[in-house]
Amino acid sequence: MGKVGAGGGSPARLSALLAGAGLLVLCVPGACGGGSCCPQLPPGSAPRWAPTSRGFLRQGPRGRAAATPLPLLGRPLFAVAPGDRALSLERVPGTGASVAVAPRSGRRRRSEADPGKAERGEGASRSPRGVLRDGGQQEPGTLERDPDKATRFRMEELRLTSTTFALTGDSAHNQAMVHWSGHNSSVILILTKLYDYNLGSITESSLWRSTDYGTTYEKLNDKVGLKTILSYLYVCPTNKRKIMLLTDPEIESSLLISSNEGATYQKYRLNFYIQSLLFHPKQEDWILAYSQDQKLYSSAEFGRRWQLIQEGVVPNRFYWSVMGSNKEPDLVHLEARTVDGHSQYLTCRMQNCTEANRNKPFPGYIDPDSLIVQDDYVFVQLTSGGRPHYYVSYRRNAFAQMKLPKYALPKDMHVISTDENQVFAAVQEWNQNDTYNLYISDTRGVYFTLALENVQSSRGPEGNIMIDLYEVAGIKGMFLANKKIDNQVKTFITYNKGRDWRLLQAPDTDLRGDPVHCLLPYCSLHLHLKVSENPYTSGIIASRDTAPSIIVASGNIGSELSDSDISMFVSSDAGNSWRQIFEEEHSVLYLDQGGVLVAMKHTSLPIRHLWLSFDEGRSWSKYSFTSIPLFVDGVLGEPGEETLIMTVFGHFSHRSEWQLVKVDYKSIFDRRCAEEDYRPWQLHSQGEACIMGAKRIYKKRKSERKCMQGKYAGAMESEPCVCTEADFDCDYGYERHSNGQCLPAFWFNPSSLSKDCSLGQSYLNSTGYRKVVSNNCTDGVREQYTAKPQKCPGKAPRGLRIVTADGKLTAEQGHNVTLMVQLEEGDVQRTLIQVDFGDGIAVSYVNLSSMEDGIKHVYHNVGIFRVTVQVDNSLGSDSAVLYLHVTCPLEHVHLSLPFVTTKNKEVNATAVLWPSQVGTLTYVWWYGNNTEPLITLEGSISFKFTSEGMNTITVQVSAGNAILQDTKTIAVYEEFRSLRLSFSPNLDDYNPDIPEWRRDISRVIKKSLVEATGVPAQHILVAVLPGLPTAAELFVLPYQDPTGENKQSVEDLEQISELLIHKLNQNSVHFELKPGVQILVHAAHLTAAPLVDLTPTHSGSAMLMLLSVVFVGLAVFVIYKFKRKIPGINVYAQMQNEKEREMVSRVSHPESRAYIPQTELRRPGQLIDEKVECQLIGSISIVAENQSTKEIPTYVNV
């Protein structure tokens, strides 16, 4: 894989990522003034090379056939790599150019008045930082000017063979998507669109087709439907003849399918809206479609029929199987969200993805948006204890945790590459902010060693992380990276996958042959490896597999990388030496396997010429490709190995139609190259011929021969080298010191490598070195540096730990919990392990290997369990303890408290839970005007209200990750009355005994009382009590108007109470429950005593009443002690907003508390003579409504 994200910077490299899709998009930031108004892809359809802002990098191009258009921000695409298939363009409304190309702040550009001035060498030359130069004047002591080393420009303008075609009628269209089949096909498809920036949608489209390499085009709107608006063009990566067009979903959701390169189409309706597509890497008719409602569909008939695979799929986290790693080619890997919002890794067959046929390769949940399936590797992320942990599966085996150096403590990780059975990763460690460290793994992707520190990173246009790393195409193990050193960014190069890095040697001379004074390490060449706001404004770097020695890049010479004084440089010997070729940025296209380089200047002005080089950039010839200057929007090269046709897209003015200029380079060659036209070239690094353990010799066309190369032959010969220390990197846990030796890090114990082996067995004892993966060296020091088999020593158990598989300290009642026993050292095969689960069950194992998958256990009760593990062998023992909290999900919370209470009297509030036994809980109480909550571990509290009025009480119950709450309102008064109500027996037939029914009936009873008595509603509160027979409590409340006046006295409450009792005794209160069902409301026996006024102004009658209450209280006590029961007195029940009777068991009461059924409860007021009409009450007690609670109510006598 080449450089990804910002690290893959060249336009060719970026477009190559989408070659399989046949699509590339170019948008314009600032076209509407201010920010970007380019149409964005639907969410989740970002290209798979773009890094995310967290966790892992998005999927790279290997192992997938990306099918989603890519929005790129900035200037036009001037160069597209050979083999690329498509291009998408956009024009800026209201300007003379297709894109805004104003230079970035701080970047100095040459005047556009004379575009050829720089090429002619006129004017004073610019001096990069760290370079002493003065317009060709020789400094004392400097080198002589060397004309032979100057880049030569032939100013005579030559003419290329070209034709121009205008897409007539599409002048208003501001976007175009282009597909060129290539590979001996002459067909080009162009989809042009009018994107309305205000509406944010496509309002017009046209489809064009050429069958003569772009000389002429035919408009196909009548074949797809004159009223059909097309939004995207897709191409099958394994069969370019198969085309798919997607209509605008705002008008209709349909697919148009062609099997003959777009000549004819069939239309198929869809019942979902496609957001992105993923083609199978081998089967041309197999497609995955991701919908806007996060559903994944599959088709085995190239979109003609679709079948739902899975709902709740995470965007961009679905993959086809990788051939060689998966046995089933139709296997789909995906990340799906559960109902409760967790993510999990699933696999299933595309046509049989039922619940029973889904597999979960990774046990438990994973972090959202973290699944990557790439080549032989599967990566997931799981955060526990506030730290991310990364897991990898190699060739679909069991997952193992990725091992970084112990104190790397990663904050973020991006998988850069998985080429050649090795993982290249960028890790941001705990002490880094804008840099990353590069790590490289062993073959399994488990053990990582440091390759390069402090690699520069930046944010891309979509907020994604861009790593300044570039993999040079065509040369295995060669990378370029920008490293930050003392706040300066410098470019480094490696030829052996990061084992050794060095700075780039600056050119000896500049563009004109003037000497450049640049001494390492104070001055060097620095290259732009990232794509910033606009992928085609800066950061131009290109290399090709078919031209392994040629690298073209933009950069500067000096002490550090700069955004000013940017020039273009070329290396024709794989980065060993460089030449300056232009003083301003150009886009470069490789033709004829790199035998011809085409350069087109970055400019906002119309142009009519370009530059060609036949000798790897040493000299350039000027060619015109059109007679009329053209605003260039983009360039597309013919796909295939023999790229000799190029199409330039542009327009003469912002009001003109799209102009397509076909440029044929075949005319500049008079023959094909023969064997004598080539010379051998040996790959080397500063003279060292052994690169990655082999000497490789390539053949290059002689610079003076102007012939057409044809197909690429690859390396002419390759010979393995003798292994030296340079072919080996430090093994995991080892660090390279200044003397070149790999020694153990302070945190690493080399003997720990033998922890998993037993006495009598063998293990590989590391020498501290491991050979660089894909290195082909033989013999030499290989035997000395290779890990040696060694007999396992007998060791006593040490470093024993017991943890849960998910790292949590909680488990759910009735569900399997997996416990993992970990041992740092010890003879695992000859060790006895005893595990006590703390619930009366214990097990024994004879060795640790039988516990590799963990120990599964089910707890049937909630509580905190002490899990102990004891490990013994003949040399010693060790033990460990885990305190495991077993809980069950809390489903419901009900706050139990009175409806009414008296001022300055204690009120009991109880949180009633369902189920009653949940585990360890925390209660948070909010009541009154308190701004701070009361936090308790008990489900009951007592409190007082010091002022009258309505008060709200809220309890929140925290159980694990769940928090439930209930809120009640309680009325507080100094005086009130209470009366028990009963009903016609037929009401019981309609009583479902649920809270909602009780609330509704309470409202109906209150309305009947108001209508029958004329008592204002503010004086009445009715609460239907739970249980059968149906009963209710009637409260007579004082009422005070908002002014604070006209407050009722005790006598007023007594009069209201007498009126209510009178009407109730006359059967004047009734209501209709349903047609034909009348319910009478009766007054039951009084249950309350009058409230005593404790102020100094108490009347004598009040004092007499107090004595009566005291006497009644004593009588109640005597009667209760002798268990006397007076018939005819009803039970006083709780006055509150009850929930279901099944939900009132309280979790916090001790088991030793005595419980009695509610039907056996008796209040002291029940013992009062039935003829007593009214009493003040001083306290209302709480009785739980569930019989299983059986709590004895507490009474306060006054």
Side-chain angles (χ1 to χ4, degrees):
M1 183 194 303
K3 181 190 169 195
V4 288
S10 70
R13 209 70 177 144
L14 294 174
S15 60
L17 299 178
L18 296 175
L23 294 172
L24 190 61
V25 179
L26 181 64
C27 298
V28 185
C32 304
S36 172
C37 57
C38 300
Q40 298 299 311
L41 287 181
S45 56
R48 293 308 174 101
W49 54 265
T52 62
S53 59
R54 49 157 295 169
F56 283 103
L57 187 69
R58 292 190 187 274
Q59 172 74 17
R62 295 181 62 84
R64 313 182 54 93
T68 308
L70 168 63
L72 302 180
L73 306 177
R75 74 167 68 245
L77 175 63
F78 287 99
V80 178
D84 295 339
R85 307 297 183 263
L87 168 68
S88 184
L89 311 170
E90 180 161 349
R91 292 166 51 180
V92 181
T95 68
S98 293
V99 293
V101 291
R104 294 170 52 187
S105 173
R107 175 174 296 177
R108 188 156 58 106
R109 290 180 179 271
R110 185 170 298 279
S111 170
E112 302 286 0
D114 186 357
K117 188 173 182 180
E119 288 83 345
R120 293 193 299 268
E122 299 176 17
S125 62
R126 296 179 300 171
S127 297
R129 282 181 288 177
V131 182
L132 302 177
R133 187 168 54 209
D134 185 16
Q137 297 294 325
Q138 183 177 346
E139 295 273 341
T142 60
L143 298 175
E144 293 286 343
R145 181 172 181 173
D146 189 352
D148 294 334
K149 292 187 177 181
T151 301
R152 297 182 298 275
F153 291 91
R154 180 179 177 182
M155 302 311 299
E156 177 188 355
E157 186 172 299
L158 304 176
R159 175 74 181 176
L160 291 170
T161 303
S162 64
T163 59
T164 302
F165 186 89
L167 302 183
T168 306
D170 289 353
S171 60
H173 290 194
N174 52 12
Q175 294 180 358
M177 305 181 73
V178 187
H179 163 66
W180 193 340
S181 293
H183 302 287
N184 300 320
S185 173
S186 61
V187 174
I188 302 176
L189 287 173
I190 301 179
L191 172 63
T192 65
K193 302 177 288 183
L194 172 59
Y195 182 84
D196 191 309
Y197 297 107
N198 296 319
L199 297 177
S201 61
I202 300 167
T203 57
E204 294 180 16
S205 67
S206 296
L207 183 65
W208 300 81
R209 185 172 185 263
S210 172
T211 58
D212 52 10
Y213 291 93
T215 304
T216 59
Y217 289 84
E218 176 190 4
K219 197 170 187 177
L220 302 182
N221 283 25
D222 56 337
K223 294 187 178 181
V224 298
L226 294 175
K227 296 184 179 180
T228 300
I229 297 180
L230 303 174
S231 58
Y232 288 112
L233 168 67
Y234 295 91
V235 184
C236 176
T238 54
N239 184 352
K240 300 299 187 297
R241 295 180 59 82
K242 292 190 174 183
I243 310 296
M244 182 179 293
L245 296 170
L246 183 62
T247 62
D248 186 355
E250 294 187 6
I251 299 176
E252 63 173 327
S253 183
S254 301
L255 286 176
L256 286 92
I257 297 174
S258 173
S259 299
N260 52 9
E261 292 187 283
T264 59
Y265 293 89
Q266 292 176 308
K267 193 172 187 178
Y268 295 87
R269 297 280 184 178
L270 297 173
N271 57 3
F272 61 95
Y273 298 108
I274 292 179
Q275 180 167 303
S276 60
L277 296 177
L278 181 64
F279 292 95
H280 194 277
K282 298 293 183 181
Q283 300 291 332
E284 61 186 54
D285 290 334
W286 292 5
I287 309 175
L288 296 178
Y290 186 75
S291 68
Q292 294 181 5
D293 56 354
Q294 298 186 340
K295 295 179 180 178
L296 187 64
Y297 296 83
S298 67
S299 174
E301 303 175 48
F302 200 72
R304 293 173 177 82
R305 292 182 180 84
W306 295 92
Q307 178 176 332
L308 177 65
I309 292 182
Q310 174 71 34
E311 298 183 1
V313 177
V314 178
N316 288 322
R317 301 298 176 181
F318 51 92
Y319 309 85
W320 283 111
S321 62
V322 177
M323 305 307 294
S325 295
N326 294 109
K327 297 179 180 179
E328 305 89 357
D330 62 342
L331 191 69
V332 178
H333 304 257
L334 58 93
E335 178 183 333
R337 290 193 178 97
T338 61
V339 177
D340 54 1
H342 293 99
S343 289
Q344 55 185 357
Y345 168 31
L346 304 176
T347 60
C348 63
R349 309 287 287 273
M350 63 177 292
Q351 298 293 330
N352 188 19
C353 197
T354 62
E355 184 68 32
N357 293 311
R358 295 188 193 114
N359 294 318
K360 298 178 182 179
F362 185 82
Y365 299 125
I366 64 176
D367 285 356
D369 201 31
S370 71
L371 174 66
I372 288 179
V373 180
Q374 188 166 304
D375 296 325
D376 288 334
Y377 302 91
V378 180
F379 305 94
V380 297
Q381 176 179 315
L382 178 63
T383 299
S384 62
R387 294 181 183 177
H389 301 279
Y390 305 97
Y391 294 84
V392 61
S393 168
Y394 177 61
R395 293 186 176 174
R396 310 306 181 259
N397 293 315
F399 278 88
Q401 186 171 347
M402 297 164 67
K403 301 291 187 180
L404 294 167
K406 186 174 183 179
Y407 295 107
L409 304 178
K411 296 189 297 185
D412 191 21
M413 175 184 287
H414 299 285
V415 175
I416 300 295
S417 168
T418 53
D419 290 348
E420 300 171 340
N421 296 322
Q422 192 172 39
V423 179
F424 218 146
V427 177
Q428 188 172 64
E429 301 186 10
W430 64 274
N431 56 350
Q432 293 178 306
N433 294 317
D434 60 349
T435 60
Y436 281 72
N437 290 347
L438 295 181
Y439 284 90
I440 197 163
S441 78
D442 61 350
T443 301
R444 296 190 302 126
V446 174
Y447 292 100
F448 285 78
T449 56
L450 183 65
L452 185 65
E453 291 183 296
N454 296 319
V455 177
Q456 180 71 9
S457 71
S458 60
R459 289 279 177 181
E462 302 298 325
N464 48 326
I465 298 295
M466 299 294 190
I467 311 295
D468 275 18
L469 176 71
Y470 181 79
E471 182 177 4
V472 178
I475 300 178
K476 181 174 58 178
M478 183 176 174
F479 289 85
L480 291 162
N482 284 331
K483 178 179 179 179
K484 193 171 185 179
I485 304 175
D486 296 330
N487 292 322
Q488 290 185 325
V489 178
K490 301 174 183 288
T491 302
F492 287 78
I493 189 170
T494 179
Y495 293 86
N496 52 11
K497 275 196 171 181
R499 198 275 188 196
D500 299 291
W501 297 84
R502 62 172 175 83
L503 293 167
L504 295 180
Q505 178 66 58
D508 295 333
T509 61
D510 65 4
L511 193 65
R512 299 160 188 81
D514 294 332
V516 175
H517 298 272
C518 186
L519 300 178
L520 294 173
Y522 310 105
C523 173
S524 59
L525 174 64
H526 309 287
L527 304 178
H528 285 279
L529 306 179
K530 70 175 183 293
V531 179
S532 56
E533 299 86 3
N534 174 3
Y536 305 106
T537 300
S538 63
I540 304 300
I541 182 167
S543 60
R544 295 291 175 270
D545 289 327
T546 55
S549 64
I550 304 175
I551 308 171
V552 181
S554 66
N556 64 279
I557 300 172
S559 60
E560 63 176 321
L561 182 66
S562 172
D563 284 334
S564 60
D565 296 325
I566 293 180
S567 300
M568 297 298 299
F569 299 89
V570 65
S571 174
S572 57
D573 56 3
N576 286 280
S577 62
W578 297 81
R579 293 187 304 278
Q580 185 181 12
I581 54 175
F582 296 105
E583 286 188 327
E584 290 166 321
E585 287 186 274
H586 286 63
S587 291
V588 178
L589 177 71
Y590 287 62
L591 297 180
D592 190 32
Q593 314 307 329
V596 180
L597 298 179
V598 180
M600 190 175 291
K601 185 180 179 181
H602 282 182
T603 176
S604 58
L605 300 176
I607 60 175
R608 54 183 296 271
H609 70 268
L610 46 76
W611 297 91
L612 296 184
S613 175
F614 298 89
D615 54 5
E616 299 176 341
R618 292 179 178 85
S619 61
W620 295 84
S621 299
K622 190 175 184 179
Y623 285 79
S624 65
F625 63 92
T626 177
S627 58
I628 303 175
L630 186 74
F631 290 100
V632 175
D633 299 321
V635 180
L636 181 64
E638 177 192 5
E641 293 183 348
E642 301 180 26
T643 304
L644 290 173
I645 297 178
M646 183 177 75
T647 299
V648 181
F649 303 86
H651 55 286
F652 297 133
S653 71
H654 71 279
R655 297 177 183 271
S656 68
E657 292 88 358
W658 293 93
Q659 304 294 325
L660 279 65
V661 181
K662 172 188 172 184
V663 183
D664 193 341
Y665 292 92
K666 293 179 181 178
S667 60
I668 62 178
F669 299 104
D670 53 9
R671 63 183 180 86
R672 283 188 173 269
C673 294
E675 190 65 31
E676 60 270 15
D677 295 315
Y678 292 93
R679 63 179 177 86
W681 174 78
Q682 184 168 25
L683 174 65
H684 66 95
S685 171
Q686 298 297 301
E688 174 56 54
C690 287
I691 304 293
M692 293 293 287
K695 296 179 181 179
R696 293 180 177 85
I697 298 178
Y698 299 83
K699 65 177 184 179
K700 281 188 174 187
R701 192 186 62 189
K702 296 177 181 179
S703 59
E704 67 274 11
R705 304 297 173 90
K706 195 176 178 180
C707 56
M708 186 170 60
Q709 295 192 95
K711 293 185 178 182
Y712 173 66
M716 192 163 62
E717 60 180 73
S718 177
E719 176 186 348
C721 297
V722 175
C723 291
T724 66
E725 189 269 342
D727 297 306
F728 290 81
D729 205 349
C730 291
D731 204 351
Y732 174 77
Y734 290 81
E735 297 174 338
R736 190 176 301 278
H737 288 243
S738 57
N739 59 3
Q741 290 186 336
C742 293
L743 301 176
F746 75 93
W747 50 265
F748 182 67
N749 180 11
S751 65
S752 63
L753 296 175
S754 63
K755 67 179 183 179
D756 293 330
C757 72
S758 300
L759 191 64
Q761 296 181 339
S762 298
Y763 73 100
L764 289 176
N765 186 22
S766 175
T767 62
Y769 298 84
R770 70 182 184 195
K771 194 168 77 167
V772 175
V773 175
S774 301
N775 186 294
N776 296 322
C777 73
T778 59
D779 302 327
V781 299
R782 185 177 64 171
E783 183 67 24
Q784 176 186 346
Y785 282 18
T786 302
K788 306 295 191 299
Q790 186 169 326
K791 293 293 184 180
C792 296
K795 293 184 179 180
R798 189 182 68 83
L800 179 66
R801 295 179 62 224
I802 181 169
V803 296
T804 58
D806 57 7
K808 298 179 180 178
L809 297 176
T810 60
E812 192 172 329
Q813 178 189 11
H815 290 72
N816 267 323
V817 57
T818 302
L819 300 172
M820 310 297 294
V821 176
Q822 301 171 351
L823 188 65
E824 288 188 9
E825 289 186 2
D827 189 347
V828 296
Q829 297 296 329
R830 302 171 183 269
T831 300
L832 175 65
I833 303 99
Q834 301 178 65
V835 181
D836 187 340
F837 298 105
D839 60 350
I841 300 176
V843 295
S844 297
Y845 296 88
V846 294
N847 57 67
L848 276 176
S849 59
S850 59
M851 305 163 57
E852 289 180 352
D853 297 330
I855 307 170
K856 291 181 170 55
H857 185 65
V858 177
Y859 286 90
H860 298 286
N861 297 307
V862 298
I864 303 176
F865 295 88
R866 186 175 186 267
V867 184
T868 59
V869 57
Q870 177 81 21
V871 177
D872 299 276
N873 66 14
S874 59
L875 300 176
S877 63
D878 198 1
S879 62
V881 177
L882 171 68
Y883 295 97
L884 186 66
H885 293 243
V886 178
T887 64
C888 69
L890 179 61
E891 299 179 13
H892 194 81
V893 174
H894 166 58
L895 179 58
S896 175
L897 76 161
F899 274 100
V900 187
T901 188
T902 56
K903 188 173 73 171
N904 292 321
K905 296 295 180 181
E906 280 198 346
V907 176
N908 294 325
T910 301
V912 182
L913 311 179
W914 177 257
S916 60
Q917 299 296 326
V918 179
T920 306
L921 302 173
T922 302
Y923 300 83
V924 182
W925 305 85
W926 305 81
Y927 60 90
N929 295 322
N930 293 349
T931 58
E932 296 293 333
L934 174 65
I935 301 176
T936 69
L937 297 178
E938 291 292 328
S940 294
I941 62 169
S942 298
F943 49 88
K944 297 179 182 179
F945 292 102
T946 58
S947 60
E948 291 186 308
M950 304 301 292
N951 291 272
T952 298
I953 302 175
T954 298
V955 61
Q956 295 178 327
V957 183
S958 175
N961 294 327
I963 299 179
L964 278 73
Q965 77 173 32
D966 191 18
T967 300
K968 292 293 188 301
T969 301
I970 184 172
V972 180
Y973 296 101
E974 288 186 1
E975 303 162 342
F976 63 91
R977 299 292 184 275
S978 173
L979 182 66
R980 177 64 64 86
L981 301 178
S982 60
F983 306 92
S984 306
N986 58 342
L987 182 60
D988 294 344
D989 298 335
Y990 301 96
N991 184 355
D993 199 18
I994 61 174
E996 294 86 348
W997 185 88
R998 291 195 288 270
R999 285 195 293 268
D1000 289 339
I1001 294 298
S1002 297
R1003 186 174 61 253
V1004 173
I1005 298 170
K1006 178 177 179 178
K1007 180 180 178 182
S1008 301
L1009 287 168
V1010 171
E1011 292 175 351
T1013 63
V1015 175
Q1018 296 90 341
H1019 287 291
I1020 297 176
L1021 179 63
V1022 178
V1024 176
L1025 305 177
L1028 295 173
T1030 307
E1033 197 76 22
L1034 169 62
F1035 296 94
V1036 181
L1037 307 176
Y1039 173 71
Q1040 182 176 349
D1041 60 29
T1043 64
E1045 301 177 355
N1046 302 324
K1047 181 178 179 180
Q1048 281 73 16
S1049 63
V1050 174
E1051 291 74 13
D1052 294 331
L1053 295 180
E1054 291 175 351
Q1055 291 177 5
I1056 295 173
S1057 300
E1058 291 174 357
L1059 177 59
L1060 289 169
I1061 293 173
H1062 177 71
K1063 291 295 184 180
L1064 289 168
N1065 289 338
Q1066 289 185 342
N1067 294 332
S1068 299
V1069 183
H1070 54 80
F1071 60 90
E1072 188 177 50
L1073 183 66
K1074 59 187 300 185
V1077 179
Q1078 289 288 332
I1079 305 297
L1080 289 176
V1081 184
H1082 308 286
H1085 301 290
L1086 243 53
T1087 60
L1091 176 67
V1092 178
D1093 189 354
L1094 299 179
T1095 64
T1097 60
H1098 288 164
S1099 65
S1101 59
M1103 293 298 297
L1104 187 59
M1105 186 64 71
L1106 174 59
L1107 295 174
S1108 301
V1109 172
V1110 173
F1111 174 77
V1112 171
L1114 292 173
V1116 170
F1117 178 78
V1118 173
I1119 293 171
Y1120 182 79
K1121 292 294 289 183
F1122 290 92
K1123 299 183 180 180
R1124 293 177 55 188
K1125 295 184 180 179
I1126 301 176
I1129 297 182
N1130 294 325
V1131 177
Y1132 175 79
Q1134 175 187 1
M1135 297 168 290
Q1136 59 180 0
N1137 296 323
E1138 277 79 350
K1139 296 288 184 180
E1140 296 89 329
R1141 297 181 64 183
E1142 296 80 11
M1143 296 186 181
V1144 296
S1145 178
R1146 190 163 65 94
V1147 71
S1148 59
H1149 56 67
E1151 296 180 358
S1152 60
R1153 180 172 295 181
Y1155 302 124
I1156 60 174
Q1158 179 181 346
T1159 55
E1160 297 181 8
L1161 297 177
R1162 294 293 184 270
R1163 282 180 51 88
Q1166 294 177 266
L1167 307 179
I1168 304 174
D1169 190 274
E1170 294 182 15
K1171 294 181 180 180
V1172 179
E1173 291 187 354
C1174 192
Q1175 281 187 328
L1176 289 166
I1177 65 172
S1179 176
I1180 303 299
S1181 303
I1182 299 175
V1183 179
E1185 63 183 75
N1186 189 346
Q1187 292 187 3
S1188 65
T1189 303
K1190 302 178 183 178
E1191 291 189 4
I1192 301 176
T1194 303
Y1195 299 99
V1196 178
N1197 296 320
V1198 296

